[in-house]
Amino acid sequence: MKQALVVIDLQDAIIRVSSLLRVNLDEILYNNKQLVEAAIAHEIPVFLITVKSPLFTDKMASVSPELAEYQKNEHVFHFIKHAPSAFTIDEFLPKLKELGVEELIMTGVSTSNGVLKTARDGANNAFSIVVARDAAAARKASTHDDALAEMAKFSTISTTDEIIEKM
């Protein structure tokens, strides 16, 4: 099954500037880097999705420095959204189809918003969904856990190591 890694909103405006995350940010970023590197090694497309609100400068909508270096790779795509789901980006679904993607590996923040809404829209568009529970985060652990429970109804919930092993 052709996979794509979809990383939601790992950008400084979300993960550092706001009070969004009260988790181990280093662990979340480390796991995302591991997934991005494994995906690139297996020539799996990587979608770095960021959000831009009217309050954000262009720089605030850029990918976090920890992941920005990967944008030079031919298998990595950066799209900017203006709503929680990546499927609101006009070019996103056509690009997935063009690449023959059947399964989305989901990571990022917030588990209860952008990750959940993109995963749900992906499932509604007939994609198989896998969520990396240790590469996603929300404001509170309980919110993260509730979102994972909701996504478990239509997704496979896995760890970074388990996902990499199956690439």
Side-chain angles (χ1 to χ4, degrees), residues 7 17 26 47 51 57 64 85 91 96-97 103 116-117 121 144 161:
V7 180
V17 177
D26 291 338
F47 291 86
V51 64
T57 64
S64 73
S85 175
E91 303 86 1
L96 292 172
K97 289 183 176 186
E103 181 174 81
L116 172 62
K117 291 177 180 172
D121 287 348
H144 174 73
D161 290 341

Side-chain angles (χ1 to χ4, degrees), residues 34-44 46 73 75 167:
Q34 294 300 311
L35 286 162
V36 170
E37 289 174 6
I40 290 170
H42 289 89
E43 297 184 353
I44 293 171
V46 175
N73 187 282
H75 300 290
M167 286 182 168

Side-chain angles (χ1 to χ4, degrees), residues 5 7 30-42 44 46 48 67 70 76 107 164 167:
L5 175 63
V7 180
Y30 176 81
N31 288 338
N32 273 277
K33 285 183 76 158
Q34 294 300 311
L35 286 162
V36 170
E37 289 174 6
I40 290 170
H42 289 89
I44 293 171
V46 175
L48 301 175
L67 299 178
Y70 300 112
V76 178
T107 74
I164 290 171
M167 286 182 168

